Amino acid sequence: MSDKKLIGAVCVYCGSRLGNKDLFKNQAHELGRLIADADLALVYGAGSVGLMGVVARSARDHGADVVGIIPSHLDDVEITQAGLTELHVTDDMHQRKKMMFERSDAFIVLPGGLGTLDETLEMMTWAQLGLHSKPIIIVNSNDYWSPLLELVDHVVTDGFAAPENAKLLTVVPSPEEAINAIQNINHEE
């Protein structure tokens, strides 16, 4: 028997805006439903706006536990989502990101902006440093994250990261494949 923990809670990193393609909103809604259908809990930034609000409402409305974590200074900007299973208000972004990490067993990344990019790179860095081995799954909708993946390859090619660092990300084309990847990990355990 493995000593690894099964994935029960997934943290979703995604935009506090909707973006300019209906596909992004549709996939955020689908991911929320799939999280609930897979009997997973959602951990996210607690906002009601953008893709993060879409994912949270969909997961909540389909029966998932939804854990929101927001720093007090963003509560007015991102407008905390109503009806969360748990809400945690932190003093700052660092506490928020640490708590999101601690409450999650895996990370799924949908399209987003600089905050999403920051959170994703931080989880990659922590994995590179051996601070965790939690899966980081990128949903590369409409090739949204392809420039990031090319940058990671460039960093490796030019010798600033080891080749295995490019493998810290699992890249999938859809929310369905992201949940399948998590279910495959749980099945292996």
Side-chain angles (χ1 to χ4, degrees):
M1 175 178 261
S2 172
D3 60 354
K4 287 187 177 180
K5 181 180 177 185
L6 290 177
I7 296 170
V10 295
C11 180
V12 174
Y13 296 137
C14 60
S16 60
R17 296 180 180 207
L18 292 173
N20 59 12
K21 293 178 177 57
D22 288 341
L23 171 69
F24 300 147
K25 181 179 178 183
N26 294 340
Q27 287 195 332
H29 185 271
E30 183 69 3
L31 180 60
R33 183 187 66 76
L34 290 166
I35 287 170
D37 289 352
D39 201 26
L40 299 167
L42 169 66
V43 177
Y44 87 114
S48 65
V49 297
L51 295 183
M52 73 166 124
V54 173
V55 171
R57 285 187 296 278
S58 179
R60 177 199 67 197
D61 293 349
H62 287 94
D65 286 342
V66 179
V67 178
I69 304 168
I70 193 165
S72 57
H73 75 276
L74 281 183
D75 197 16
D76 290 337
V77 177
E78 295 183 350
I79 310 164
T80 302
Q81 177 63 52
L84 301 176
T85 309
E86 294 178 37
L87 173 63
H88 302 274
V89 180
T90 64
D91 292 332
D92 57 40
M93 289 294 288
H94 297 293
Q95 286 180 337
R96 176 198 212 183
K97 289 176 6 176
K98 181 179 180 191
M99 185 178 281
M100 289 171 77
F101 168 78
E102 290 172 343
R103 295 294 303 265
S104 303
D105 304 314
F107 307 92
I108 297 176
V109 184
L110 291 176
L114 296 178
T116 305
L117 186 59
D118 168 60
E119 292 162 330
T120 304
L121 290 174
E122 184 168 49
M123 287 306 101
M124 287 183 70
T125 302
W126 289 9
Q128 172 190 318
L129 296 172
L131 300 176
H132 78 87
S133 59
K134 299 175 183 182
I136 307 167
I137 302 167
I138 299 268
V139 179
N140 196 20
S141 303
N142 202 44
D143 289 323
Y144 183 82
W145 289 114
S146 292
L148 171 64
L149 302 172
E150 291 169 13
L151 178 60
V152 170
D153 287 341
H154 174 72
V155 169
V156 169
T157 299
D158 279 5
F160 289 99
E164 57 268 14
N165 292 331
K167 298 176 185 167
L168 294 172
L169 298 173
T170 300
V171 182
V172 298
S174 68
E176 294 82 6
E177 291 301 316
I179 297 301
N180 286 344
I182 287 172
Q183 290 175 326
N184 287 340
I185 291 166
N186 278 346
H187 182 70
E188 291 169 6
E189 300 303 321

